[in-house]
Amino acid sequence: MRAIGIILAGGNNERLGELTEMRATSALPVGSCYRALDFPLSNMSNSGLDKVAVITQYNSRSLHDHLSSAKWWDLGRKQGGLFIFSPYLSSKSSFWFRGTADSIYQNITYLKRSNETYVIIASGNAVYKMDYNDLVNYHIRKDADVSIVYRHANDGDDLRQYGVMEFDAFDRLTDLEEKPLEPQSDFISMGIYVIQRTMLIKLLEAIQAEERYDLVKDVFIRYRKKLRIYGYRFDGYWNSLNSIKSYYDCNMDFLRKDIRDLFTKTTPYIATKPKDEPPGKYNSGAMAKGALIGSGSIINGYVGNSVLFRKVFTGDNSSIRNSIVMEGSYIGNNCVVEHAILDKEVILSDGKQVIGTPEHPVIIAKSTVL
Amino acid sequence: MKKKEMIAMLLAGGQGSRLGVLTNSKAKPAVSFGGKYRFIDFPMSNCINSGVDTVGVLTQYQPLLLNRHIGIGIPWDLDRSSGGVTILAPHMKGEHGEWYSGTANAIYQNIEFIEEYDPDYILILAGDHIYKMDYSKMLDFHKQKNCDATIAVREVPLEEADRFGIMNCNPDDSIYEFDEKPKNPKSNLASMGLYIFTWKKLREALVADYRDHDNSDFGKHIIPRMLGENQVVFAYRFNDYWKDVGTIESYWMANMELIKTLPDFNLYDDFWKIYTDSEHQSPQYTGPEADVRASLLADGCEIYGAVYNSVLGADTFVGEGTVIRDSIIMEGGHIGKNSRIERAIIDEQCAIGDNVVIGEGDNIPNNLKPKIYDTGITVVAEHAVVPDGVTIGKNCVIAGVSSLDEYTDNRLCSGGSIIHEPGANNS
């Protein structure tokens, strides 16, 4: 392949509250059987990349667990394969990554020891399916220094949470503002970039010397006139899991046939670490209507318009509506769960009620016992 | 090669002809079970869960699917740099090739493979039983009793003992006699076809027996030979769940038993998981009008109709208005709208049309194989196609792509068959 991959999986997002208190955003469970990281990682593998680095920082335990073997993404290789970079101590330095550019700079030997022409950098917490070959071809065709994937914002997207981009008539970037107060366009960056490897090395070394550490602010924005930066438009499904609402919506989107078919029924599939759970079991009192249910789950009560992850147990006469229930949660008899997000391994004893509103789903933190 | 204390040899070459069209194009150990598994997953998972990390899988009959399923052993963590899983197919030796002519003959032909690991003990497994067993405990027993051979046995009702290989034991469970399908059984301890041998002793017996029998078999030849030489052979009693799913009826029954609220065989055990190779990881979807009760659904199913008391394999689609009852539908099945399916076994990747009825009529045994299909269950072989609007009776068999003009008045009466050989042109 012409490119190596880097997935920035270190990020956290305070707007996700308790959901990311104990895990990186990239480790968020999505769509009943995935973690967010599975999407960029599968995209890279499916695009034919042989060498991919995942850079972690915040609460990386669950990510490391998920990546304990690279073979599920077909990246268990002798040549290349999957690299996982976390901050480390050395005799000279003992700091965390000071920004996205710094996190790549600290691992610059990964870039220097490769000989592929391009580097694809993607954030680890977005749900989408993309063939990065199209992006690299576009990059070559435009003779660009950097190509940034962008999209037209959806109605209702808060543009102030995104990188907002402006282009000339030839899709060359004229301006880029990170989380602007007054957005000047509806085009938002998807946090996916392609750049020549040697140029990335030079840029990272240059900004490091100036004690600058951020890829967007200190490279793309600062160099926007100097470099030929182009926008590559992507119109497929995309959700960046940047708020509780978008996290909730993204999971509910999997109840739509087109979205489900895109990720689960159309090759190449999105791959994830297998958990070897048995089939889902629907007992005689089960009523699952418009529900997505993970393997190893045992259903006794009503489940409607909800996403249940693997190994969820629901008791007799319980009802779950408009909710997300993560792996290993246990819902006793006669419980009511509505507009709620139950994190992993939550236990609801018999008769408990957890009821939120469509605007503000209740979040029950991981391993809570009610 | 690194020495291994015990390696397993898994006999997976059998056809299993009593399973009818289910084994037309795959070996019996490759038949699907319980929604997402294949028979061979049970002994393979038992091996890794028991700490046996070197497994030779002996294939012969229709090995394609089996080979693909096992691959390099990734699902069972048997992709190892030392040991792991190895597929052992019959091969040419010198001027001519030799098939595996008996269970022991198959092991005899792979002595070289076994010797590479210099094992002290060898575990012989069959590929067609449903059970969970810790082989390391059986090995402990074998060592403790200083056995040359240990045979796993289970108690069967005395009146059925004439169907099994029966072990006649002394009070300490040492075996003094082996009776193959005895008319007047002296004991009710039936062999499970699962043995541990001290390799040196088995090697001697295999080499000696090869001179006497060209179809050397463990039950018929090796065990009687070792008993005749007064070697130490013990019965190892195993009384947990164990199912021989050799017939259409027992296969259907064993699947149905998994549906019970508290099944005898627990697949939901975290510390003795059954592993399998599955292309599908995705969740199951039940539509707004779906009704799924008392059923097992594997990954990726999409249900818009009603499913009662049934086992559905991965990636099965059930259309609106369709009712499926008391049936097994294997991976990749596509069932159209407004159909009604009762007591049917539908093998992998079948397409059943709209407004189809299966399982209606009297219980008349099958016209071609009345002894195999006689319990009311209709069987549809893998990759079969059933056109819209037909009614199919009980004990019917359908294989291949069937077209509407093959159904008289849109009907296939009970006991009828429509069979197209794989690859035949039947347009």
Side-chain angles (χ1 to χ4, degrees), chain A residues 271-305:
Chain A
T272 187
K273 179 182 178 178
K275 295 282 181 83
D276 296 292
E277 297 301 341
K281 192 158 186 279
Y282 300 70
N283 286 329
S284 51
M287 267 209 288
K289 311 268 185 195
L292 207 55
I293 290 172
S295 53
S297 291
I298 300 178
I299 309 299
N300 289 293
Y302 176 88
V303 183
N305 195 41

Side-chain angles (χ1 to χ4, degrees), chain B residues 375-389:
Chain B
T375 55
I377 298 164
T378 280
V379 181
V380 181
E382 66 172 42
H383 291 101
V385 174
V386 173
D388 293 347

